[in-house]
Amino acid sequence: MADRMHGRPVAPTETTISSANWDSRDLTGENHENVLFVDVDMTEASGTGATFRDCTFRGVRFNASSHTDAAFLNCTFVRCAFFDAAFTGCKLVGSLFDGCTHDLLKVKGGDWSFTGLPGADLRRASFVDVRMREADLTGARCAGAELRRIDLSGASLHKADFSGCDLRGSDLSAVDPFTVELRGAVIDPYQAVVLATTLGLDVRE
C-alpha cells in the first residue's frame, strides 16, 4: 500500500461490511466511522451530506455514483473504481487512494487537502475549484486532464506529468519545472510569470 504523507498511519477499523449491494442507494445523511468496506457495490449511489470518517474501502465500486457535500475524512481507498463518479463540494481531507481507477472522475469544489494520489492515473479526470493543499501527487499521470483553479500550494508534485493539462487559474507555486512534465500544458499569463520566476528568469515589461 502507498504510504501517507508525513507517515500518518491508516486508521483502524472496528466493523466490516462485505459484498453488500448498495447499487443506487441513497446515502443522504448517513454516518459511518471506522468501517471496513470490502467489495461493496456503490454503483450509481448518490446523496447529500453523507459522512465517512476513518473508513477503509477495498475493491469498492463507486462507478457513476454522485456525492454532494459529503465527507470522506482520513479514509483509505484500495483498488476502488471511480468510473464517471462525481464529487461536488465534498471533503476528502487526509484520504489516500492506492491502486484505484479514476477514469472520467469529476470533482467540483470541496477540500482535498493532504489527500494522497501518488502515481494516480488522472488523465481523463476533471478537478475544478478544488483545494488540494499539500496533496501528494508524486508521479501522478495528469496528461490531458482538467485541473482548473486548483489550490496546489505545498503539494508534492515530483515527477508528475501535466503535459497537455489545462492548469489555468491553479496555484503552481509548488511546481518545479525541472522535475514536472509541463509540455503542452495550458496556463494563463500570471502562471507563466510564476513559472518563469521559478526558472530564475527576470520578468519585466
Side-chain angles (χ1 to χ4, degrees):
M1 180 183 294
D3 293 326
R4 273 181 161 79
M5 291 181 68
H6 312 302
R8 291 179 290 116
V10 174
T13 55
E14 300 172 352
T15 58
T16 300
I17 297 176
S18 181
S19 302
N21 183 7
W22 286 17
D23 190 322
S24 302
R25 182 184 178 108
D26 183 0
L27 300 171
T28 298
E30 292 198 12
N31 184 27
H32 300 273
E33 190 168 349
N34 298 105
V35 179
L36 170 61
F37 295 87
V38 181
D39 297 327
V40 175
D41 185 1
M42 292 192 186
T43 300
E44 295 188 350
S46 62
T48 301
T51 299
F52 297 83
R53 186 185 300 273
D54 294 324
C55 293
T56 295
F57 301 84
R58 293 184 179 275
V60 175
R61 296 179 293 284
F62 291 91
N63 300 329
S65 62
S66 178
H67 310 271
T68 302
D69 298 330
F72 294 81
L73 304 175
N74 199 39
C75 291
T76 302
F77 301 87
V78 182
R79 298 186 303 278
C80 295
F82 291 91
F83 175 78
D84 200 27
F87 291 82
T88 304
C90 297
K91 293 183 179 180
L92 282 89
V93 176
S95 290
L96 172 68
F97 295 81
D98 182 29
C100 298
T101 57
H102 309 274
D103 205 24
L104 299 183
L105 170 68
K106 295 178 289 294
V107 180
K108 185 174 182 179
D111 192 346
W112 288 51
S113 297
F114 304 100
T115 299
L117 288 157
D121 186 349
L122 303 175
R123 289 175 293 180
R124 298 184 66 192
S126 171
F127 287 76
V128 178
D129 296 316
V130 185
R131 177 179 292 180
M132 299 185 75
R133 291 182 179 178
E134 297 191 47
D136 184 3
L137 289 167
T138 304
R141 292 168 287 167
C142 305
E146 181 182 26
L147 299 176
R148 297 201 61 184
R149 300 185 298 278
I150 306 301
D151 183 354
L152 290 169
S153 56
S156 295
L157 306 173
H158 186 70
K159 292 187 177 179
D161 182 2
F162 293 119
S163 56
C165 183
D166 189 347
L167 296 167
R168 286 175 293 174
S170 294
D171 183 332
L172 302 183
S173 58
V175 172
D176 182 349
F178 294 105
T179 64
V180 174
E181 178 58 61
L182 291 169
R183 187 182 301 274
V186 180
I187 60 175
D188 58 41
Y190 174 77
Q191 292 170 312
V193 173
V194 171
L195 292 176
T197 302
T198 302
L199 288 168
L201 302 179
D202 184 0
V203 181
R204 304 182 184 181
E205 291 191 9

